[in-house]
Each structure stands twice: as C-alpha cells, then as structure tokens.
Amino acid sequence: MQRALFITLSNIGDAVLTTPALEYLHARHPDLRFDIVADARSAELFTHCPYRGEILLKHKRAGWRGLLRLIRTLRRTRYVLAADLRTDGLAYLLRAERRMTKLRRGPAGPHSVEEHMAVVAPGVRRAEIPPTRIWLTDALREQARERLAALPPGPLLAIGPGANWLPKIWPLESFAELLRRLEGRVAAAVLLGGPKDRERAEGLVREAALPMLDLCGTTGLLEATAVLERADLFVGNDSGLGHLASAVATPTLTLFGPGEPERYHPWGPRAAWLVAPDRDLARLTPEVVAERLLRHLERWR
C-alpha cells in the first residue's frame, strides 16, 4: 500500500482539531496508508485509526539531534503526499511527491479547524468539513461501561475541573455550587482529568450533593474518551477534554476565561461555550452556567 504522511500538533485539543483534515484526506485517498507524526502527549489518540501506518513521535525537548533522527527515519519512505499542519517546514526535508503545508497560506476562517482544512483542501466549504474524530474499540467502550456501572441511572454529567493554566480554571466552589443547582436534573457526575487534577477533584467530591465518580489521573486518553461518550453532557474548562467529548458527539459546554474561544472552541454542532465577563472566570456565576447547561441538555437529550 502506498504511504502518505500526516504531521499533527502537540497538545491534545490541538491534535483533535486536526482530525477533520486527516479524515478528509483519507476520504479522497482511501488507498493510502497514513504515517502520523505526533507528540507523545497526543499520539495515543491515533492508536486505533484504521487507515494509519506508523506513529512517529516528534519530541519538542529532543533538540536538533532528535529532529535529525526523526528526519532520517522519515526519509526512508517515499511518500505520495506529506501534509504538515505544523509550521516548521519538516515536510520540505522529506521525500514526498506532493507537499501540503501552512507556509504561504492565507487566513482561512476564524477557527483552527478551518485553517487546517485550508492546508489540505484550499477553498473547501464549511459544510464539507468532517467532524473531529477519536477512534474507539469495543474493549474501550466495555471498560467505560464497567467504570460507570455503580452510578445510578439517569442523565450523567462529565466534568473537567482542571486545565494547564490557573487563570483558565473555574473556581472549585463554583463547580460545587453548579452541582447543587443540578440536583434532580442530572443523576450523577464523573470527574475526568490528569494526576494534577486529583486534589481539585477530591475537594469537589467532598462538596458534591450528587453521586460522584472521580477518575482523575486513573485513565488514559482513550478510556477517558470512552467515558465521555457515555455521558449525556460535558462541562469543563478550556482543555483537551472538551475536544475529546465533542469528537464522540457528546454535547459540551466549555468555560472560557483567557483564551481565544472563536479559534479554539470544540468543533461540532453539539459544542457550546461561555466566555466569562472580562475574561475572568471568577466572575462567571454558577447560575449562568447552570441555566446554559440545562438548556443545552434539553436540546440534545
């Protein structure tokens, strides 16, 4: 099978937002096997992609020696096409019959998904852009079902209480008050995040009035995505979890303080977001979030 190369981005959310471009390329070149260059943080997302070849890691901290090793490895293959969604020009150092890069591309729309699509399909209409995608297996879905089996039946809320920067995190007491306002409207909640979110999650469990399951720091990306797929709704800070939820068609509400919601909100018809007054999440009230969340739940139930 002929080979193509797809160079994705590093952060989890950013990598998810490149999947429409990958899906578009596969739909137009179903005979190609796509090798994928990814970061160690996001490479897991492509594990079960059915048309991928090798996954090769690009380590930011490996310096020029690491980059040379990667280039030597990639140059062993002659690619039919190389699509590079980064901006460092790696594709021009490889053996490829056709190169698609961001270099000399003009702006293509407010959202980063539109920018990525402009690399692989200039002039594509918004309606033709595929949704974001995470590839799950039956085993991952069964694992998620078992994880959630102890929770009571009824609407399940997934929560992402953390983020990679403190100003992007809605206060713990606001999440706790949100859960009090949702009593009787959702049956239970599940907390998702990394090991750094454990302390915040434990505090929320202590304050919560709803049945809670804390999975922070206990799942990989794909298992967390399978849990999100079973949830009726996701609410969380501007982080990768909202993008994972949207990629499995779970309705999402992302809370933005600082950041660029127009450019980086989760992609898809079931994705909604709120921007805090003056970009200060401390000023975003649980009352406003609860009202928007319940409207979103009713729309997509």
Side-chain angles (χ1 to χ4, degrees):
M1 184 174 282
Q2 290 185 301
R3 305 274 283 279
L5 184 68
F6 187 79
I7 303 173
T8 185
L9 303 182
S10 301
N11 294 329
I12 294 164
D14 292 337
V16 174
L17 293 177
T18 68
T19 59
L22 180 58
E23 288 278 272
Y24 187 93
L25 285 172
H26 168 63
R28 277 142 188 82
H29 304 280
D31 55 328
L32 294 181
R33 179 74 62 182
F34 283 81
D35 290 350
I36 296 173
V37 174
D39 189 271
R41 290 171 291 180
S42 55
E44 182 185 348
L45 301 177
F46 300 91
T47 301
H48 302 295
C49 176
Y51 49 85
R52 73 159 179 87
E54 293 185 67
I55 295 178
L56 304 108
L57 299 184
K58 187 174 189 293
H59 297 284
K60 282 186 175 181
R61 297 182 180 178
W64 64 269
R65 288 187 176 87
L67 180 60
L68 285 177
R69 284 194 297 270
L70 176 62
I71 291 170
R72 282 198 295 268
T73 299
L74 291 171
R75 283 185 61 82
R76 294 172 189 157
T77 303
R78 185 170 189 85
Y79 291 107
V80 174
L81 66 86
D84 183 0
L85 300 187
R86 300 191 187 220
T87 56
D88 54 11
L90 176 59
Y92 290 100
L93 302 175
L94 308 179
R95 300 196 302 156
E97 296 174 21
R98 182 183 177 193
R99 297 174 179 83
M100 303 171 173
T101 76
K102 287 185 175 182
L103 298 179
R104 294 185 294 277
R105 294 280 182 198
H111 200 279
S112 78
V113 164
E114 294 169 293
E115 180 183 332
H116 301 325
M117 288 299 301
V119 174
V120 303
V124 69
R125 294 180 300 168
R126 189 181 179 97
E128 297 175 312
I129 299 177
T132 54
R133 178 81 184 272
I134 303 295
W135 301 270
L136 299 175
T137 64
D138 290 343
L140 284 163
R141 291 186 168 105
E142 177 61 20
Q143 212 172 351
R145 188 194 67 78
E146 292 174 358
R147 287 267 202 173
L148 300 172
L151 293 176
L156 175 64
L157 176 67
I159 300 175
N164 60 4
W165 185 37
L166 187 59
K168 294 171 71 172
I169 296 176
W170 202 37
L172 182 66
E173 57 271 20
S174 296
F175 273 113
E177 175 61 24
L178 173 67
L179 289 172
R180 283 190 283 271
R181 289 176 176 271
L182 295 177
E183 278 190 86
R185 308 298 294 272
V186 299
V190 57
L191 300 172
L192 293 164
K196 293 180 180 179
D197 301 318
R198 291 298 299 271
E199 184 177 349
R200 185 173 291 106
E202 289 166 1
L204 191 54
V205 169
R206 287 193 299 269
E207 295 287 330
L210 291 171
M212 301 277 286
L213 177 63
D214 176 13
L215 296 182
C216 288
T218 70
T219 70
L221 292 178
L222 292 181
E223 188 181 354
T225 306
V227 169
L228 287 165
E229 188 181 53
R230 296 188 67 86
D232 295 275
L233 194 64
F234 169 83
V235 62
N237 303 307
D238 174 21
S239 73
L241 283 168
H243 296 284
L244 297 178
S246 186
V248 289
T250 296
T252 71
L253 181 64
T254 302
L255 310 179
F256 280 91
E260 299 177 72
E262 298 83 4
R263 181 170 172 76
Y264 293 117
H265 67 77
W267 181 262
R270 297 186 177 192
W273 58 96
L274 279 172
V275 181
D278 298 325
R279 303 293 179 132
D280 180 1
L281 280 168
R283 299 187 59 193
L284 182 61
T285 67
E287 180 182 10
V288 168
V289 176
E291 189 272 335
R292 181 67 181 276
L293 198 62
L294 290 171
R295 278 197 288 119
H296 204 41
L297 178 63
E298 289 303 314
R299 181 183 180 189
W300 294 107
R301 254 178 107 169

